[in-house]
Every structure is written in structure tokens, then in C-alpha cells.
Amino acid sequence: MLSLRGLAVLLTSASLCLGAPSKDCAFKPKETIAPPRGWVKHSSPNADHNVVLRIGLPQPNFHVLEQHLYEVSDPDHERYGDHLSKEEVEELVAPHQESIDAVDAWLSSHGIAESDVTRSPAKDWVTLKIPVSLVEKMLDTKYHVWKHTSSDDYLVRTTSYSLPSDLHDHIDVIQPTTTFGRFKGAKSTFIFDDEPESSVSDATKSTLAPIVNAASGVTVDASCNTTITVTCLQQLYNAVGFKPKAKGNSIGITGYLEQFANIQDLQSFYADQRPDALNSSFKFISVKGGLNNQTLAEAGAEANLDVQFAFGISHPIPGTFYSTAGRPPFIPSVGTPTDTNEPYTDWLDFVLSHPNLPLAISSSYGDEEETVPESFARRACAGFAQLGVRGVSVMFSSGDGGVGDGDPNPATQECFTNDGRNTTKFIPGFPASCPFVTAVGGTQNINPEVAVSRFFSGGGFSNYFKQPTYQKVAVEKYLEALPKGLYKGLFNPEGRAFPDVAAQGDRFRIFLSGRPVSIGGTSASSPAFTGFVALLNDVRLQNGQSSLGFLNPLIYKNGGAFNDITIGHNAGCGTPGFNATAGWDPVTGFGTPNFGKLKGVVSSH
């Protein structure tokens, strides 16, 4: 129901708009983009095609939330670890009542009732499902069916939309309008084992002497140079013998795009690599209709990889797998399916509405930053900040296309801007470029551990987000050592730099559809790193301390607690990309975790 103020706004607007056009009622462009690279107009959607429209209202106090985030995440601040509650966060991101009333009045003027809308707990998002013909009227625009030429994907989108002038200050963003992101998993590559009945001991059997890793000084089985297992990661990252036992700990994995984590495969993996975890499983949560198909033949390689290694490393810490319904394929000739947004925002809506969340969460999905309009990327990034200030550590894979567009083959990458000018430029990934998440790059080999080379660890500099204070010293040191003029104009040296850290990302042995598989990608690096974050949370909880929450300020003040990776590069866009080097670099960040050192770091704050 509208408030009295809202009713007054509605009556005032109606009286203005029924007469001669006024400056308050005149439509003013809100967002305009160039036709996106790789997409062509295909047709017009049916007038009754449904659109799930999301309206983001301003968060006028987000700067206050951001200040809280940096204070509670800075290990040198007196408030370190003093995370906020769900209710405190919602109060900080709530829009002004004036904005709520103005938007309500606008919706009501188009015949949309309160019962037709869904609101986020903080009322900063309004969601409604309406025909595209009504959306076009409300936004003074024209939608088209767009076809992606190389994949045959279809989307119903527009390249511009407008709002009445008096609404511009009350609405940050409306989607789906100009978002053409194809939201995909980091490109995992895998090879089926020729010996499906072999055990891990057979698969990794080696007559070679154990290897002493030069960076960490730990001893690692020689077989880990060809096959990565839970034991390999425990050895390499100095966590052998640690047993989690704190109460209240938790770890989570996000799953999208009809990826199902198969429990039978998980049991096979546990029997193979973690027999003490046999007969344990994870909590399944469906988001927006996400399914849980346990048919063995339909197991998801990405989902299986994520849960097997994240939960295998962190056992017996309770695990949760979120299955979020992916963007449904739009087929122009079939009925009127519903068009929706990138599913990570659906997941964010869901988890932010719940009081108790996993303390460490990994996601191996993303887009090219330029395919996500900046206004929408900023709102999604703000959602990750809300998780961080509540004590949740959020990890994202940095991607597998080096400095390029996500295509792991540098020869076929298209490194052009999406602004209509087709300027050659490196293509950062999102959400890895969000300054409020921890981006994880990929490594391989044991001694020395190097930047992964079968694909290339995603990394670089955001074109949307400025460089946060926590990383300026480390990034400036890297840039000062970069040959003068190298890649000038190809990247934004003032942007948020990523990745922050790295972990092994190739030759992971998992089980898929009942068979052992060798799999690789930074999609392996993120869940592996997250498993160790869960162990570090356990250290703190055992000491009566809070969870780690947003990790980056801690990481950038303790770079020496990571195994520095100094060999390798991340080719793309017809270039060798950036080089891994001493200290932080935009290939492997500060390097891979040394749990023995990090355990001391997190205990001391």
C-alpha cells in the first residue's frame, strides 16, 4: 500500500502528466550502450513475452557500509572482526523513503499493484514480472531478440532506455535492459582416465623421491606433478595433520547453469582421496527453482569439482551447495518464456535475506566485465560487500583467458572494446574485478610452482572499479617495475587489480558420472583456496575469534604468508600478457597459501 507521501507524489505526477508535457514528466535517457560485439538483432519479441524486471533503488549510505567493511576487515584496526548483523547491513543499504514512494507511484501509474512486486528486505530492489510491451512503455524503449553469432544464444534486450526526469535520482539501475553478459563458468578442461577402476594410489604411484618445495620448504609427493589430490594440496600448502573441530564453522559453493553436484560421485571421491569423509554429504539449497538432478549421467563437471575439493579439503566442516536456476535459454519460436538476469544477483538476493550464511563461499562463474553495464556491476559488487561486512569470505575464479576475453586460446581471442569503437584492449573479468571479493588465479607443478600454462590465469585491471587503498602499495610496486610504455593504452593502471591470490588449477583428479577425470581451470583454484580459508576460519573460531570475513586487507598486509610465484605469464590479446614476479602480480596475486604461516597470522589479530 502506498504511503500518504507516495499518494501525494502519484497525484502530483498524474496532474502534471495529464496536461501539457513538463520537464518532470519528459523522458530522459538513463542508459545507452553501443550494439554489443558478437550480438546481432534477430527479431522482435512477442508483445506478451514476460520480463522479470529488477529495479535498483539508490543506497545513499553505502559509503558508510564501505567504511564499516574496511574497518572490520583491517587486521590493524581496533574493530577487526566486529562484523555487522543482517539487520544492521539492511539499514545501511536502505533507500530513502522518498525514493520508495516515487517508484511506487510510477509503478502504480502503470497499473502495477503492490501485490505484483517483490521487495528485498532492505527495499533497495524491486522485482516484478510483466510483459515486454509494458516494459517498453515504461522505459520508452524498444526491445529486440538478439542472437550471439558464435554460440546461438538468444536474449531479449535493448541498447538504451529512458525514465521520466523526476525518477532519475530515485533509480540506480533497471535490468534486464542493456546487460548482454553470457555468464559462464570458468572454462574447465578435462580428460577421462583410461583406467576407470584405478584408485588414487594407482593413479599417482611414483618411484620418484618426494619433492621439497622451494617456496614453502614442505615435502610433497612427486606424483603431485602429474595428478593433484586433496593430499597433494595439504602437503603443498602446509596443512598436513590439521583437524578442524570448531563449532559454528561452515563453507559454501555456488552452482549455476544447471550444474548438479552428484552425491554418488562425491562418495567415490571420498573413498578415493578422503576415506574418513565417507557417508558424509552436504546441505542442498535451491535458489529460484534451482534443481538437484542426482542422475549420475547428468552430473556437472564444474559442480563436482567444486564440492569434491572444497569439501574434501575442509572436512568435517559442514558444507552447503546452492543450486541457482540459470538464465533460461530463450528460443524465439517457442511460446513466451521468461527473460531474467544474471543468476548471481538472484543468488545474492537469496543469501542476503538469510541471517546465517556459510563463512567461506566459492564461485567459479563470471562474465567479461564490459558485457555487464557498469551500473549493474556496481550494484552486484555492493552485494558482495554486504556479505563481507557480515563476516563472509567470498572467492571468485579469476578466469582462464589470461588478459583476454575468456577464450583460453590466445590465437582466437577478440580483445576489442564493447563501446562501438572496437579499440584493442585487455578484457578484465567480472565479478573477479569487484574490489570486495577475493579473486583466485591458477598455478601448476610442484617445484617450482608456476603460473598455469595449459590455459592462462585471468588477471589484469578493472575498467569500472578504481584501485582500492588496500592494494595500492603492492600494485604500484609491480607497475613501477613494468617496462615503461609496455601495454600502454591496453589496460587501466588506476583500476582494481586482480587476482589477489592463487592456488593449483590443473590436473585435479575428481569423479564425474562414476569415472575418474583429470580436470583443470581456475574453476579448480577457487574452491581449493576456499577450502583452506575454511580451515583458517576454524583456527580463529577455536580461539574464540570471529570469522575472517572480507580477506583482501589481511592478504595485502601479509603477502609474506603466501608462496610467491615468480615464473609464468598470462598471455592474451596477441601479447604475452603480464609476468609473474616477486611479490604481487596480476597473474597469481601474492601466490598460493602457506597454511602454517597463515595460521599464525589469523591467530594474532
Side-chain angles (χ1 to χ4, degrees):
M1 181 178 293
L2 285 176
S3 66
L4 291 176
R5 180 179 178 82
L7 182 59
V9 171
L10 171 60
L11 293 174
T12 302
S13 299
S15 62
L16 286 171
C17 296
L18 287 173
S22 73
K23 63 182 179 62
D24 294 316
C25 294
F27 278 99
K28 176 183 174 183
K30 180 67 174 177
E31 191 166 42
T32 301
I33 66 168
R37 176 172 44 84
W39 292 89
V40 295
K41 284 182 182 178
H42 175 270
S43 58
S44 294
N46 293 332
D48 56 353
H49 168 81
N50 288 321
V51 174
V52 178
L53 201 66
R54 291 169 51 86
I55 304 169
L57 279 63
Q59 300 170 330
N61 292 317
F62 181 78
H63 66 286
V64 180
L65 181 141
E66 189 174 8
Q67 179 181 344
H68 281 291
L69 175 66
Y70 284 124
E71 289 179 357
V72 303
S73 306
D74 181 352
D76 294 331
H77 198 281
E78 62 182 2
R79 291 188 59 208
Y80 181 64
D82 185 18
H83 301 123
L84 303 188
S85 68
K86 169 181 177 289
E87 291 74 21
E88 289 170 328
V89 169
E90 288 169 358
E91 185 176 347
L92 287 171
V93 299
H96 289 316
Q97 187 63 43
E98 182 181 1
S99 294
I100 297 172
D101 291 341
V103 171
D104 285 354
W106 174 58
L107 296 177
S108 181
S109 72
H110 286 280
I112 298 167
E114 176 66 23
S115 59
D116 297 327
V117 305
T118 302
R119 301 179 190 273
S120 63
K123 297 185 178 180
D124 56 330
W125 283 103
V126 175
T127 305
L128 59 154
K129 183 165 72 173
I130 54 177
V132 69
S133 56
L134 179 55
V135 180
E136 291 177 336
K137 180 179 178 182
M138 293 170 64
L139 303 184
D140 190 32
T141 189
K142 171 63 180 172
Y143 278 74
H144 290 89
V145 178
W146 292 77
K147 178 182 178 181
H148 192 257
T149 54
S150 64
S151 67
D152 286 341
D153 286 346
Y154 293 88
L155 289 175
V156 177
R157 294 291 190 268
T158 182
T159 55
S160 67
Y161 69 95
S162 300
L163 289 170
S165 297
D166 61 346
L167 278 177
H168 274 246
D169 290 340
H170 301 299
I171 292 176
D172 271 350
V173 61
I174 299 180
Q175 291 293 346
T177 49
T178 56
T179 300
F180 282 80
R182 295 176 54 231
F183 188 75
K184 48 192 177 293
K187 191 178 288 293
S188 302
T189 55
F190 56 93
I191 303 170
F192 281 96
D193 195 319
D194 290 332
E195 302 291 339
E197 299 303 320
S198 64
S199 67
V200 68
S201 59
D202 294 328
T204 63
K205 191 177 293 181
S206 174
T207 59
L208 299 176
I211 297 171
V212 178
N213 179 265
S216 63
V218 300
T219 300
V220 185
D221 291 342
S223 61
C224 299
N225 257 329
T226 56
T227 303
I228 293 295
T229 65
V230 168
T231 298
C232 289
L233 296 175
Q234 290 171 331
Q235 292 174 348
L236 183 59
Y237 299 146
N238 200 12
V240 174
F242 179 79
K243 297 185 183 302
K245 56 185 178 183
K247 293 182 179 180
N249 202 357
S250 51
I251 181 173
I253 293 293
T254 62
Y256 303 100
L257 308 179
E258 293 73 55
Q259 279 276 329
F260 311 111
N262 186 270
I263 295 173
Q264 185 175 333
D265 278 337
L266 179 63
Q267 297 307 312
S268 297
F269 176 83
Y270 282 161
D272 193 55
Q273 298 187 35
R274 193 77 205 240
D276 60 324
L278 266 172
N279 299 319
S280 68
S281 188
F282 53 85
K283 181 179 181 181
F284 171 84
I285 295 180
S286 172
V287 180
K288 300 284 285 191
L291 302 178
N292 186 22
N293 187 342
Q294 286 298 311
T295 304
L296 193 60
E298 300 203 20
E302 181 65 65
N304 274 8
L305 165 64
D306 291 353
V307 302
Q308 287 172 23
F309 270 87
F311 299 162
I313 291 167
S314 61
H315 177 77
I317 297 170
T320 297
F321 179 76
Y322 294 95
S323 175
T324 302
R327 186 174 55 222
F330 175 70
I331 304 174
S333 60
V334 180
T336 57
T338 298
D339 211 31
T340 189
N341 301 312
E342 280 64 20
Y344 53 73
T345 53
D346 289 333
W347 176 79
L348 271 171
D349 287 347
F350 179 86
V351 296
L352 288 172
S353 69
H354 286 69
N356 299 311
L357 303 173
L359 299 179
I361 299 176
S362 174
S363 183
S364 297
Y365 297 81
D367 288 321
E368 298 162 35
E369 186 183 69
E370 66 175 6
T371 67
V372 183
E374 184 173 350
S375 59
F376 193 51
R378 289 189 177 279
R379 283 302 295 259
C381 189
F384 298 125
Q386 293 177 53
L387 288 174
V389 80
R390 287 177 57 178
V392 178
S393 303
V394 182
M395 272 61 65
F396 271 89
S397 300
S398 70
D400 301 336
V403 294
D405 64 353
D407 184 342
N409 182 357
T412 58
Q413 288 180 347
E414 296 181 343
C415 300
F416 306 111
T417 57
N418 214 22
D419 56 7
R421 293 179 293 179
N422 284 336
T423 305
T424 301
K425 202 161 189 178
F426 291 164
I427 308 295
F430 178 81
S433 65
C434 169
F436 306 129
V437 306
T438 298
V440 186
T443 62
Q444 67 182 44
N445 298 346
I446 302 305
N447 192 30
E449 191 174 8
V450 302
V452 72
S453 61
R454 189 156 63 93
F455 49 90
F456 291 98
S457 179
F461 298 79
S462 173
N463 292 315
Y464 289 172
F465 301 100
K466 67 179 182 180
Q467 202 168 103
T469 301
Y470 64 73
Q471 67 171 185
K472 278 189 177 296
V473 172
V475 175
E476 286 176 1
K477 183 177 179 181
Y478 179 84
L479 291 175
E480 286 171 1
L482 205 64
K484 190 173 181 179
L486 181 66
Y487 303 149
K488 184 177 180 180
L490 294 181
F491 73 98
N492 172 26
E494 304 297 322
R496 186 290 206 247
F498 69 99
D500 306 295
V501 293
Q504 285 280 316
D506 203 8
R507 307 178 185 127
F508 276 51
R509 178 181 169 89
I510 70 165
F511 276 75
L512 178 65
S513 300
R515 300 176 61 188
V517 170
S518 178
I519 192 167
T522 54
S523 53
S525 307
S526 182
F529 183 84
T530 303
F532 289 99
V533 173
L535 298 185
L536 292 171
N537 272 330
D538 212 84
V539 171
R540 286 185 58 83
L541 295 174
Q542 286 184 47
N543 293 340
Q545 299 166 300
S546 63
S547 61
L548 289 165
F550 177 45
L551 292 172
N552 292 5
L554 176 75
I555 290 170
Y556 281 82
K557 287 190 173 183
N558 293 278
F562 293 83
N563 307 316
D564 197 5
I565 309 301
T566 60
I567 300 174
H569 57 96
N570 57 356
C573 303
T575 76
F578 297 107
N579 286 329
T581 188
W584 180 90
D585 57 69
V587 186
T588 60
F590 273 110
T592 58
N594 186 321
F595 182 76
K597 290 183 179 180
L598 287 167
K599 186 167 61 170
V601 168
V602 303
S603 297
S604 63
H605 295 288

